[in-house]
Amino acid sequence: MVWSGQAGGGAADNEDARTLFFTSYGVLNINPLWQMASEVTYLHGKNIWGLTESVDTPVKEAETVDRLLVAVRPTRRVNDNFRWEFTASYGYDKSNWSAQTTTTDYYTAEIAGVITVNADYFSRPQIKPFVTYLYKDAKDGWGADFDNEKGVLQFGVEAEIWF
């Protein structure tokens, strides 16, 4: 999917706003027990948060963002009601907020046990207990809520239902 136009908070009122969004994803059935999902998503936005070029803020320094996400998720069916999911992803964010530019890399790894009606990747409803390791290559890591740690572990349970 590729889309270009004006979108995002502030963009509808900003004639200088420009975005480009691309995503591609899918699931490969490797054999009766294994499936592999993958995703690539890219966003480029310029002036999408309401800041417009001015004498003080030229377009090259106005609000711009480039974001990339690449992820793979192999899953292994155990039986009709349970599968394992293993996810690895990389994210990149380069943002210009006025004259300040920041570049951040993100890495995640997750293991989840999925309880569902049918152990296929697209089966819903599902309950998914998980553990995720997140790494953010930034000076202040994940922020004060996480003691500015760059690497953190998250535990949780996700529930999904699709209509």
Side-chain angles (χ1 to χ4, degrees):
M1 170 185 187
V2 177
W3 184 82
S4 180
Q6 295 182 354
D13 299 325
N14 186 349
E15 292 180 9
D16 294 331
R18 298 290 180 262
T19 60
L20 172 68
F21 178 80
F22 169 84
T23 189
S24 178
Y25 55 90
V27 176
L28 171 67
N29 292 316
I30 298 170
N31 62 42
L33 297 179
W34 286 94
Q35 293 178 302
M36 173 73 76
S38 62
E39 176 181 358
V40 176
T41 299
Y42 174 75
L43 166 71
H44 171 77
K46 184 175 276 190
N47 300 324
I48 59 175
W49 290 286
L51 183 64
T52 304
E53 178 181 17
S54 68
V55 175
D56 297 327
T57 310
V59 159
K60 68 177 183 165
E61 296 176 351
E63 295 174 339
T64 60
V65 63
D66 287 288
R67 290 183 177 150
L68 171 71
L69 169 71
V70 178
V72 293
R73 176 178 281 166
T75 67
R76 186 185 189 289
R77 179 187 185 107
V78 175
N79 60 43
D80 287 343
N81 302 110
F82 186 81
R83 73 177 184 275
W84 287 106
E85 286 187 352
F86 310 93
T87 305
S89 66
Y90 166 75
Y92 171 82
D93 180 281
K94 181 179 179 184
S95 301
N96 295 324
W97 302 92
S98 189
Q100 181 181 356
T101 300
T102 59
T103 301
T104 307
D105 293 304
Y106 301 87
Y107 303 90
T108 63
E110 180 178 87
I111 298 173
V114 182
I115 303 161
T116 186
V117 176
N118 174 346
D120 182 76
Y121 182 84
F122 292 106
S123 293
R124 301 297 185 273
Q126 70 178 20
I127 297 172
K128 181 166 68 170
F130 65 88
V131 59
T132 304
Y133 176 76
L134 304 108
Y135 182 84
K136 181 179 180 183
D137 184 23
K139 180 179 68 170
D140 59 354
W142 290 100
D145 288 345
F146 295 94
D147 297 326
N148 295 324
E149 292 288 331
K150 290 185 175 188
V152 298
L153 276 175
Q154 297 278 305
F155 301 89
V157 177
E158 177 183 314
E160 285 187 34
I161 187 166
W162 293 354
F163 297 97

